[in-house]
């Protein structure tokens, strides 16, 4: 059996361990067990294997739809990225791929594509020698067009980070949707001819067929993957039906005795046929036969009409511009596929068996709970930890600015080390001393170097892809190598790399500041953490003579000592409080609240899950820390009075100290030791934050590197595919790109003719003078 229409070949895949991956995913990332979904896992795994070997008929179509509806349903409950799906391209001269993308959305696109392709194959296989067969074929092609428009919508709405192969591009989908619509209109035209409708009606139908093929052709020229035979097929169809429309209107004209118009339209039709014949290169025999038969009847009719007009009618032949334009009559439209456009509605029809994983919690709910967990931690840090630590830091700053406690230690303990200095040395050693700081710096240096290396690998990978692309452009020429520009194609991932480079530079600058602080403190910290620190400190801190203070000054010094001790006590209490709140936050899991709220939403038939629907849960959760926030506020209020009291006492001391001989050298030494201890605490805090930053940063850098690898591998595969297409076109003859270039610079009628690809004829066209078989 030969055909004069096209069908879209099914994309192919290979089996994957979907069931095992689902088990691992549920067990590891859900708070449920995969055993509860054993039958669902087995069924979805079997369903995917079944759709890989379907027959392109209504049973196969039903199986594809069932799988798609199940995919659409579980995509609301599973993360998009949990496993790779390999698919082979089939639109080119040979099967390409596989392109394996870690995306459930990619799987949905491929199944939707195969639904559209199956409709086209069923439409082509309908016995179009009968009116009923033509009607069914017309309907199937309209469904195929509607399905490809659904695929187009999926492609346009794809996740930003998902890069699709070129045979799933927007232009490919637009081409296929219009091609199927053109074939549906052609079936309608064919039925109109077989029913011997009026010539003017058939002309309008034929002209619309030509316009649909022209629209498909205009999109096809923007595609790099389509075979030349397909492009010439559409071009030939466009011209064939354009000529057929003029021929039918010539019949209308002669019936109305408008012999001049008849000749004009036949001349136009003859020119179009000659153009199509000149450009024909890949026509199958049936296509060439159709064109030759139409051309013959037009030529014969033209000779007859010109002879009769010269001898009998003597009518003036109008110019083409003076002829009434043909008004197209579209009788078809893309028919929507409910399974693709509204999977939820299709799911409710119960035509596709039970909906799998009905009781599986949507992964979005888990992601919301995880996001709320992070927000809760940030909330505790912002509203409790940081404010409380800032209060303590303010007190230490006030003490340091006023030389406390070194000032009063110099007076009260002139010839021995103050207790607080000895305590500081003990705490410093308990926390790891200098060794801990060195480990911090080494770990941060390793992580920073690792991050720099990962980003450098990202840059080199993108540069390598760009260099290879330019090399292929030089090799094949920019007209044939119309591969997307590397910098444009990699814009998103480049932006991510540049952003990370900026963050890393800022972090490196911050590291340098911390290192400079460490270098300044290192001599003092080394002394304070040494095994013989007491002896070293006694040598470092000079003694001073005893001073007898006046009663009032003695009172002030004692009150200052009490305030210093109060600051020390507050710092310890606050540190304990912060640790207690951290434990409280860890124990307050938000997941049960989120799950409970999700179940309430389900009971209220709210199936579309968004983060906004759970904000109330988060507000209730953080309200558990209201008492802690009030505690911080109470400390803030009380501290105001303490700060005032310290400043007032220092002012009074300075006014009353007079000629008291307190050693400035001892005071300076003690102050340096106090500052060194506080500096140590700041270093540990900053280095802890830095270590956390680099751990997070390394993970993000690795994620971006994976994106760069995926981009590079994808572009490599697509480049190989395009190069294969170029070589295949060379083997066939002139490339479609070269033909397009020639058409663009030509003002001749042949510019309408691009290329033709193999098609054959099942139904003989009445317009070429052959009756239905």
């Amino acid at each position: 059996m030969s055909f004069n229409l096209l069908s879209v070949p099914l994309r192919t895949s290979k089996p994957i361990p979907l069931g095992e991956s689902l088990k691992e995913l549920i067990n590891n990332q859900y708070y449920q067990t995969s055993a509860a979904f054993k039958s669902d896992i087995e069924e979805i795994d079997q369903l995917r294997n079944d759709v890989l070997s379907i027959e392109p008929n209504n049973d196969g179509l039903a199986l594809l739809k069932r799988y798609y509806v199940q995919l659409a349903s579980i995509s609301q409950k599973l993360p998009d990225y949990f496993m790779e799906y390999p698919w082979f391209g089939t639109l080119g001269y040979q099967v390409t791929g596989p392109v394996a993308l870690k995306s459930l959305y990619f799987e949905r696109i491929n199944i939707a594509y195969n639904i559209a392709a199956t409709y086209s194959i069923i439409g082509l296989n309908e016995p179009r020698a009968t009116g009923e067969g033509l009607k069914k074929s017309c309907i199937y092609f309209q469904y195929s067009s509607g399905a490809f428009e659904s695929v187009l919508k999926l492609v346009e709405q794809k996740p930003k980070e998902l890069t699709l192969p070129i045979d799933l591009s927007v232009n490919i989908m637009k081409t296929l949707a219009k091609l199927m619509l053109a074939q549906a209109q052609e079936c309608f035209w064919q039925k109109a001819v077989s029913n011997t409708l009026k010539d003017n009606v058939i002309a309008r139908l034929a002209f619309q067929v030509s316009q649909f093929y022209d629209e498909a052709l205009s999109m096809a020229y923007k595609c790099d993957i389509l075979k030349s035979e397909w492009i010439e097929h559409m071009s030939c169809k466009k011209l064939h039906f354009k000529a057929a429309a003029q021929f039918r209107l010539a019949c209308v004209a002669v019936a109305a005795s408008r012999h001049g118009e008849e000749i004009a339209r036949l001349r136009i039709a003859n020119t179009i046929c000659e153009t199509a014949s000149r450009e024909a290169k890949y026509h199958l025999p049936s296509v060439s036969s159709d064109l030759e038969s139409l051309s013959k009847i037009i030529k014969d009719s033209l000779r007859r009409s010109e002879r009769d007009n010269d001898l009998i009618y003597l009518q003036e032949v109008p110019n083409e511009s003076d002829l009434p334009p043909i008004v197209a009559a579209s009788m078809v439209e893309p028919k929507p596929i409910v399974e693709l456009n509204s999977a939820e509605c299709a799911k409710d029809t119960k035509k596709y068996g039970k909906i799998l994983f009905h009781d599986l919690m949507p992964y979005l709910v888990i992601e919301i709970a995880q996001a709320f967990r992070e927000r809760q931690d940030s909330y505790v840090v912002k509203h409790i930890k940081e404010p409380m630590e800032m209060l303590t830091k303010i007190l230490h700053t006030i003490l340091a600015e006023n030389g406390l406690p070194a000032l009063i230690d110099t007076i009260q303990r002139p010839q021995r080390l103050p207790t607080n200095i000895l305590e500081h040395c003990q705490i410093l050693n308990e926390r790891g001393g200098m060794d801990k700081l060195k480990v911090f710096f080494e770990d941060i240096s390793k992580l920073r170097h690792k991050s720099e290396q990962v980003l450098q690998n990202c840059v080199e990978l993108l540069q390598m892809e760009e260099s290879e692309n330019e090399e292929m452009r030089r090799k094949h020429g920019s007209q044939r190598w119309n591969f997307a520009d590397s910098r444009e194609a990699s814009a998103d991932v480049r932006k991510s790399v540049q952003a990370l480079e900026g963050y890393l530079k800022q972090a490196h600058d911050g590291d340098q500041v911390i290192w400079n602080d460490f270098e300044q403190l290192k001599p003092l910290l080394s002394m304070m953490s040494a095994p013989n620190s007491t002896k070293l400190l006694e040598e470092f801190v000079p003694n001073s003579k005893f001073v007898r203070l006046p009663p009032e000054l003695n009172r002030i010094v004692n009150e200052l000592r009490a305030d210093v001790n109060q600051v020390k006590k507050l710092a310890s209490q606050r540190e304990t409080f912060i640790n207690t709140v951290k434990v409280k936050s860890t124990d307050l899991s938000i997941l049960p609240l989120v799950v409970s709220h999700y179940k309430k939403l389900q009971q209220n038939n709210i199936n579309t899950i968004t983060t906004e629907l759970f904000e109330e849960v988060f507000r209730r959760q953080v309200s558990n820390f209201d008492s802690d926030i009030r505690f911080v506020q109470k400390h803030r209020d009380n501290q105001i009075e303490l700060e005032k009291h310290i400043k007032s006492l220092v002012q009074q001391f300075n006014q009353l100290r007079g000629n008291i001989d307190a050693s400035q050298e001892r005071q300076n030494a003690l102050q340096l030791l106090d500052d060194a201890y506080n500096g140590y605490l700041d270093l540990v805090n900053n280095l802890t934050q830095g270590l956390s930053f680099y751990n997070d940063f390394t993970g993000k850098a690795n994620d971006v590197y994976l994106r760069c690898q995926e981009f590079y591998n994808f572009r490599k595969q697509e480049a190989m595919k395009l190069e294969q297409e170029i070589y295949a076109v060379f083997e066939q003859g002139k490339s479609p790109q070269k033909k397009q270039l020639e058409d663009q610079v030509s003002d001749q009628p042949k510019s309408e003719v691009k290329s033709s690809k193999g098609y054959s004829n099942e139904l003989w066209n009445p317009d070429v003078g052959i009756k239905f078989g």
Side-chain angles (χ1 to χ4, degrees), residues 230-245:
W230 277 42
I231 293 178
E232 282 210 8
H233 172 91
M234 288 181 271
S235 177
C236 183
K237 286 284 189 177
K238 163 193 158 184
L239 295 173
H240 181 104
F241 283 97
K242 192 174 182 180

PDB file of all heavy atoms in Angstrom, residues 230-245:
ATOM      1  N   TRP A 230      10.860  15.384   3.824  1.00  0.00           N
ATOM      2  CA  TRP A 230       9.662  15.942   4.460  1.00  0.00           C
ATOM      3  C   TRP A 230       9.436  17.391   4.021  1.00  0.00           C
ATOM      4  O   TRP A 230       8.307  17.802   3.769  1.00  0.00           O
ATOM      5  CB  TRP A 230       9.807  15.868   5.985  1.00  0.00           C
ATOM      6  CG  TRP A 230       9.430  14.545   6.556  1.00  0.00           C
ATOM      7  CD1 TRP A 230       9.736  13.314   6.062  1.00  0.00           C
ATOM      8  CD2 TRP A 230       8.658  14.311   7.739  1.00  0.00           C
ATOM      9  NE1 TRP A 230       9.222  12.326   6.863  1.00  0.00           N
ATOM     10  CE2 TRP A 230       8.560  12.913   7.901  1.00  0.00           C
ATOM     11  CE3 TRP A 230       8.071  15.140   8.682  1.00  0.00           C
ATOM     12  CZ2 TRP A 230       7.880  12.331   8.966  1.00  0.00           C
ATOM     13  CZ3 TRP A 230       7.397  14.567   9.752  1.00  0.00           C
ATOM     14  CH2 TRP A 230       7.289  13.176   9.889  1.00  0.00           C
ATOM     15  N   ILE A 231      10.511  18.145   3.960  1.00  0.00           N
ATOM     16  CA  ILE A 231      10.380  19.555   3.572  1.00  0.00           C
ATOM     17  C   ILE A 231       9.893  19.651   2.128  1.00  0.00           C
ATOM     18  O   ILE A 231       9.008  20.439   1.796  1.00  0.00           O
ATOM     19  CB  ILE A 231      11.721  20.282   3.762  1.00  0.00           C
ATOM     20  CG1 ILE A 231      12.050  20.351   5.257  1.00  0.00           C
ATOM     21  CG2 ILE A 231      11.671  21.686   3.168  1.00  0.00           C
ATOM     22  CD1 ILE A 231      13.376  21.002   5.568  1.00  0.00           C
ATOM     23  N   GLU A 232      10.450  18.820   1.227  1.00  0.00           N
ATOM     24  CA  GLU A 232       9.989  18.848  -0.164  1.00  0.00           C
ATOM     25  C   GLU A 232       8.563  18.325  -0.282  1.00  0.00           C
ATOM     26  O   GLU A 232       7.806  18.769  -1.151  1.00  0.00           O
ATOM     27  CB  GLU A 232      10.938  18.031  -1.047  1.00  0.00           C
ATOM     28  CG  GLU A 232      12.200  18.776  -1.383  1.00  0.00           C
ATOM     29  CD  GLU A 232      12.756  18.353  -2.735  1.00  0.00           C
ATOM     30  OE1 GLU A 232      12.059  17.587  -3.448  1.00  0.00           O
ATOM     31  OE2 GLU A 232      13.858  18.792  -3.070  1.00  0.00           O
ATOM     32  N   HIS A 233       8.202  17.389   0.569  1.00  0.00           N
ATOM     33  CA  HIS A 233       6.822  16.903   0.580  1.00  0.00           C
ATOM     34  C   HIS A 233       5.861  18.058   0.856  1.00  0.00           C
ATOM     35  O   HIS A 233       4.869  18.250   0.140  1.00  0.00           O
ATOM     36  CB  HIS A 233       6.671  15.825   1.653  1.00  0.00           C
ATOM     37  CG  HIS A 233       5.249  15.396   1.891  1.00  0.00           C
ATOM     38  ND1 HIS A 233       4.664  14.356   1.211  1.00  0.00           N
ATOM     39  CD2 HIS A 233       4.284  15.882   2.731  1.00  0.00           C
ATOM     40  CE1 HIS A 233       3.408  14.205   1.614  1.00  0.00           C
ATOM     41  NE2 HIS A 233       3.162  15.125   2.548  1.00  0.00           N
ATOM     42  N   MET A 234       6.160  18.829   1.886  1.00  0.00           N
ATOM     43  CA  MET A 234       5.274  19.954   2.236  1.00  0.00           C
ATOM     44  C   MET A 234       5.272  21.010   1.139  1.00  0.00           C
ATOM     45  O   MET A 234       4.240  21.604   0.818  1.00  0.00           O
ATOM     46  CB  MET A 234       5.706  20.562   3.575  1.00  0.00           C
ATOM     47  CG  MET A 234       5.393  19.685   4.779  1.00  0.00           C
ATOM     48  SD  MET A 234       5.884  20.434   6.355  1.00  0.00           S
ATOM     49  CE  MET A 234       7.565  19.851   6.494  1.00  0.00           C
ATOM     50  N   SER A 235       6.445  21.252   0.547  1.00  0.00           N
ATOM     51  CA  SER A 235       6.534  22.237  -0.525  1.00  0.00           C
ATOM     52  C   SER A 235       5.714  21.804  -1.734  1.00  0.00           C
ATOM     53  O   SER A 235       4.985  22.598  -2.337  1.00  0.00           O
ATOM     54  CB  SER A 235       8.001  22.436  -0.912  1.00  0.00           C
ATOM     55  OG  SER A 235       8.123  23.323  -1.991  1.00  0.00           O
ATOM     56  N   CYS A 236       5.841  20.521  -2.094  1.00  0.00           N
ATOM     57  CA  CYS A 236       5.093  20.007  -3.240  1.00  0.00           C
ATOM     58  C   CYS A 236       3.593  20.063  -2.986  1.00  0.00           C
ATOM     59  O   CYS A 236       2.811  20.443  -3.862  1.00  0.00           O
ATOM     60  CB  CYS A 236       5.541  18.578  -3.537  1.00  0.00           C
ATOM     61  SG  CYS A 236       4.745  17.867  -4.995  1.00  0.00           S
ATOM     62  N   LYS A 237       3.186  19.685  -1.774  1.00  0.00           N
ATOM     63  CA  LYS A 237       1.765  19.729  -1.427  1.00  0.00           C
ATOM     64  C   LYS A 237       1.228  21.149  -1.505  1.00  0.00           C
ATOM     65  O   LYS A 237       0.133  21.405  -2.021  1.00  0.00           O
ATOM     66  CB  LYS A 237       1.560  19.178  -0.013  1.00  0.00           C
ATOM     67  CG  LYS A 237       1.691  17.663   0.095  1.00  0.00           C
ATOM     68  CD  LYS A 237       0.453  16.985  -0.454  1.00  0.00           C
ATOM     69  CE  LYS A 237       0.461  15.499  -0.152  1.00  0.00           C
ATOM     70  NZ  LYS A 237      -0.777  14.847  -0.613  1.00  0.00           N
ATOM     71  N   LYS A 238       2.002  22.077  -0.995  1.00  0.00           N
ATOM     72  CA  LYS A 238       1.582  23.479  -1.028  1.00  0.00           C
ATOM     73  C   LYS A 238       1.331  23.927  -2.465  1.00  0.00           C
ATOM     74  O   LYS A 238       0.293  24.532  -2.791  1.00  0.00           O
ATOM     75  CB  LYS A 238       2.676  24.330  -0.378  1.00  0.00           C
ATOM     76  CG  LYS A 238       2.592  25.813  -0.681  1.00  0.00           C
ATOM     77  CD  LYS A 238       3.889  26.502  -0.249  1.00  0.00           C
ATOM     78  CE  LYS A 238       4.058  27.810  -0.990  1.00  0.00           C
ATOM     79  NZ  LYS A 238       5.337  28.450  -0.678  1.00  0.00           N
ATOM     80  N   LEU A 239       2.278  23.602  -3.359  1.00  0.00           N
ATOM     81  CA  LEU A 239       2.138  24.030  -4.754  1.00  0.00           C
ATOM     82  C   LEU A 239       1.050  23.246  -5.478  1.00  0.00           C
ATOM     83  O   LEU A 239       0.301  23.802  -6.296  1.00  0.00           O
ATOM     84  CB  LEU A 239       3.482  23.860  -5.470  1.00  0.00           C
ATOM     85  CG  LEU A 239       4.613  24.751  -4.948  1.00  0.00           C
ATOM     86  CD1 LEU A 239       5.927  24.381  -5.598  1.00  0.00           C
ATOM     87  CD2 LEU A 239       4.281  26.214  -5.185  1.00  0.00           C
ATOM     88  N   HIS A 240       0.977  21.943  -5.190  1.00  0.00           N
ATOM     89  CA  HIS A 240      -0.033  21.105  -5.838  1.00  0.00           C
ATOM     90  C   HIS A 240      -1.437  21.663  -5.583  1.00  0.00           C
ATOM     91  O   HIS A 240      -2.241  21.826  -6.514  1.00  0.00           O
ATOM     92  CB  HIS A 240       0.084  19.674  -5.319  1.00  0.00           C
ATOM     93  CG  HIS A 240      -0.901  18.731  -5.941  1.00  0.00           C
ATOM     94  ND1 HIS A 240      -0.537  17.820  -6.914  1.00  0.00           N
ATOM     95  CD2 HIS A 240      -2.235  18.543  -5.745  1.00  0.00           C
ATOM     96  CE1 HIS A 240      -1.598  17.126  -7.287  1.00  0.00           C
ATOM     97  NE2 HIS A 240      -2.635  17.535  -6.578  1.00  0.00           N
ATOM     98  N   PHE A 241      -1.734  21.960  -4.321  1.00  0.00           N
ATOM     99  CA  PHE A 241      -3.092  22.408  -4.001  1.00  0.00           C
ATOM    100  C   PHE A 241      -3.326  23.858  -4.389  1.00  0.00           C
ATOM    101  O   PHE A 241      -4.462  24.272  -4.635  1.00  0.00           O
ATOM    102  CB  PHE A 241      -3.379  22.169  -2.524  1.00  0.00           C
ATOM    103  CG  PHE A 241      -3.676  20.730  -2.229  1.00  0.00           C
ATOM    104  CD1 PHE A 241      -2.695  19.869  -1.759  1.00  0.00           C
ATOM    105  CD2 PHE A 241      -4.945  20.205  -2.465  1.00  0.00           C
ATOM    106  CE1 PHE A 241      -2.957  18.531  -1.526  1.00  0.00           C
ATOM    107  CE2 PHE A 241      -5.223  18.869  -2.234  1.00  0.00           C
ATOM    108  CZ  PHE A 241      -4.232  18.028  -1.760  1.00  0.00           C
ATOM    109  N   LYS A 242      -2.255  24.630  -4.472  1.00  0.00           N
ATOM    110  CA  LYS A 242      -2.405  25.991  -4.977  1.00  0.00           C
ATOM    111  C   LYS A 242      -2.787  25.960  -6.463  1.00  0.00           C
ATOM    112  O   LYS A 242      -3.674  26.700  -6.923  1.00  0.00           O
ATOM    113  CB  LYS A 242      -1.094  26.752  -4.781  1.00  0.00           C
ATOM    114  CG  LYS A 242      -1.194  28.253  -5.001  1.00  0.00           C
ATOM    115  CD  LYS A 242       0.135  28.916  -4.629  1.00  0.00           C
ATOM    116  CE  LYS A 242       0.031  30.423  -4.806  1.00  0.00           C
ATOM    117  NZ  LYS A 242       1.309  31.098  -4.460  1.00  0.00           N
ATOM    118  N   ALA A 243      -2.120  25.059  -7.190  1.00  0.00           N
ATOM    119  CA  ALA A 243      -2.449  24.894  -8.618  1.00  0.00           C
ATOM    120  C   ALA A 243      -3.839  24.294  -8.781  1.00  0.00           C
ATOM    121  O   ALA A 243      -4.614  24.713  -9.670  1.00  0.00           O
ATOM    122  CB  ALA A 243      -1.402  24.009  -9.284  1.00  0.00           C
ATOM    123  N   ALA A 244      -4.187  23.316  -7.929  1.00  0.00           N
ATOM    124  CA  ALA A 244      -5.502  22.677  -8.014  1.00  0.00           C
ATOM    125  C   ALA A 244      -6.616  23.684  -7.754  1.00  0.00           C
ATOM    126  O   ALA A 244      -7.684  23.626  -8.396  1.00  0.00           O
ATOM    127  CB  ALA A 244      -5.587  21.525  -7.020  1.00  0.00           C
ATOM    128  N   ALA A 245      -6.377  24.631  -6.828  1.00  0.00           N
ATOM    129  CA  ALA A 245      -7.384  25.660  -6.541  1.00  0.00           C
ATOM    130  C   ALA A 245      -7.594  26.545  -7.766  1.00  0.00           C
ATOM    131  O   ALA A 245      -8.744  26.871  -8.130  1.00  0.00           O
ATOM    132  CB  ALA A 245      -6.946  26.496  -5.335  1.00  0.00           C
TER     133      ALA A 245
END
